[in-house]
Amino acid sequence: MSARIIDGKAFAASLRTRVGRFAADFAAAAGRPAGLAVVLVGEDPASSVYVRSKERASVQANIAGSVHRLPATTTQDELLALVARLNADSGVDGILVQLPLPPQINTQAIIAAIDPNKDVDGFHPVNAGRLASGLHGFVPCTPLGCLMLLKDQLGSLSGLEAVVVGRSNIVGKPMAQLLLAESCTVTIAHSRTRDLPATVRRADIVVAAVGVPELIRGDWIRPGAIVIDVGINRIDLPDGGTKLVGDVAFDEAVEIAGAITPVPGGVGPMTIAVLLRNTIVAAHRNAGVALEKGAL
Ligand code: NAD
């Protein structure tokens, strides 16, 4: 039997449309548009592509996006000074510093300098703590996007066995916290996990966030499980071309799973849509404009 393919692209497009409507209403109520400031240090090609997509998506969603492009030689103090200016700017609701940063800059120091109420990436330790404590805060975009897809597929997640493979601060750990908050029984697996296939076989929900192409094989998947593949890996093909693949061997897993996200077109498009969503939530909070509970 072949799994349902979870169409993250379509889900993200509808979320972006909804965000756009809320952004237009916000601008009318607040007398200014919601503002998202994106900071790019250096010219990493992948980061430049991400930043351009974020800029385009902001405009389409009626959000005033500004991009601050700094040279690769920028010092930590110069970047801290820019973050301080953006923190103080009342037209900026969300601040995103594109990672990775050049080696002379301490990434944690920069993240910690962002006002937690403008931290739409959800990486600030205050927001990580709020998530772990079940308090309102900003949740990292990729795992929140995964949770939205899961809830759309399953409705309630209560009591399900969830295995998250990967324990990064950006994906694995916040993903596990979100699943715990939905009353899943959560296992976090990682590079030191003793028997990864057996661990994954227990799962009703598998979230793969590893960065190893097609690590998770079809026969690791419990029949009918929901598989969310966060991995984005470019691999070389024998004909000299390249191809994007996930952390799950899709062709094998699709025969066993109940539903699965493809790569590309699964989790990837959700990240920017959730970033825009977080920005609109931030704008309402920062301007004291009410946002209907659960609206986004
Ligand atoms: P990371 O390198 O920070 O973390 C990877 C995690 O995987 C680590 O916790 C490590 O313990 C674990 N791991 C590594 N090798 C393993 C193995 N052999 N077995 C079990 N666990 C292993 O990566 P990340 O930032 O969390 O990203 C993970 C993947 O998700 C990457 O492919 C990345 O490109 C992708 N990603 C996609 C999006 C998106 O928008 N779709 C966003 C962020 C990351």
Side-chain angles (χ1 to χ4, degrees):
M1 205 188 77
S2 207
R4 271 191 319 281
I5 307 299
I6 301 172
D7 188 347
K9 208 169 156 189
F11 193 100
S14 99
L15 177 58
R16 280 164 61 161
T17 304
R18 256 181 303 141
V19 168
R21 277 203 298 272
F22 279 96
D25 290 348
F26 172 82
R32 65 164 181 90
L36 172 64
V38 177
V39 180
L40 174 64
V41 184
E43 275 144 26
D44 177 68
S47 294
S48 303
V49 170
Y50 290 141
V51 166
R52 265 200 304 279
S53 322
K54 287 166 186 170
E55 200 175 6
R56 245 194 331 264
S58 303
V59 174
Q60 284 166 0
N62 304 315
I63 291 171
S66 57
V67 178
H68 302 261
R69 291 186 169 82
L70 306 179
T73 52
T74 300
T75 65
Q76 181 162 317
D77 284 347
E78 285 166 338
L79 184 53
L80 285 171
L82 172 59
V83 169
R85 276 205 305 284
L86 297 172
N87 281 343
D89 185 340
S90 58
V92 171
D93 297 293
I95 301 170
L96 180 153
V97 177
Q98 185 67 44
L99 304 180
L101 291 167
Q104 74 276 14
I105 298 177
N106 178 332
T107 302
Q108 287 310 322
I110 301 301
I111 291 173
I114 296 171
D115 178 344
N117 295 323
K118 296 189 178 190
D119 169 39
V120 284
D121 248 345
F123 295 163
H124 193 288
V126 165
N127 282 318
R130 285 172 176 160
L131 176 60
S133 308
L135 302 172
H136 278 296
F138 291 106
V139 176
C141 302
T142 302
L144 184 51
C146 294
L147 183 73
M148 288 177 178
L149 294 177
L150 281 167
K151 289 179 83 165
D152 186 54
Q153 289 294 315
L154 292 167
S156 168
L157 311 188
S158 180
L160 297 179
E161 287 279 346
V163 173
V164 179
V165 189
R167 57 174 160 181
S168 71
N169 288 343
I170 292 173
V171 190
K173 281 186 210 157
M175 187 74 242
Q177 293 290 355
L178 285 169
L179 291 165
L180 190 58
E182 294 295 328
S183 302
C184 290
T185 302
V186 182
T187 303
I188 306 178
H190 47 77
S191 52
R192 305 287 177 88
T193 294
R194 239 182 344 220
D195 189 345
L196 191 57
T199 305
V200 172
R201 265 184 213 116
R202 290 207 308 266
D204 301 306
I205 295 170
V206 182
V207 181
V210 188
V212 177
E214 302 180 325
L215 172 77
I216 293 171
R217 311 309 309 186
D219 64 358
W220 301 12
I221 307 292
R222 176 168 165 168
I226 310 290
V227 178
I228 304 290
D229 190 351
V230 182
I232 303 178
N233 311 288
R234 189 167 287 284
I235 58 165
D236 295 326
L237 293 174
D239 67 1
T242 64
K243 180 184 169 195
L244 281 188
V245 298
D247 293 340
V248 178
F250 181 87
D251 292 346
E252 298 172 11
V254 75
E255 297 300 329
I256 317 254
I260 185 167
T261 56
V263 177
V267 173
M270 290 301 291
T271 300
I272 289 185
V274 176
L275 171 68
L276 302 174
R277 178 255 176 216
N278 282 357
T279 303
I280 289 306
V281 172
H284 282 79
R285 284 190 200 153
N286 294 343
V289 175
L291 179 63
E292 199 187 313
K293 196 166 177 277
L296 281 173

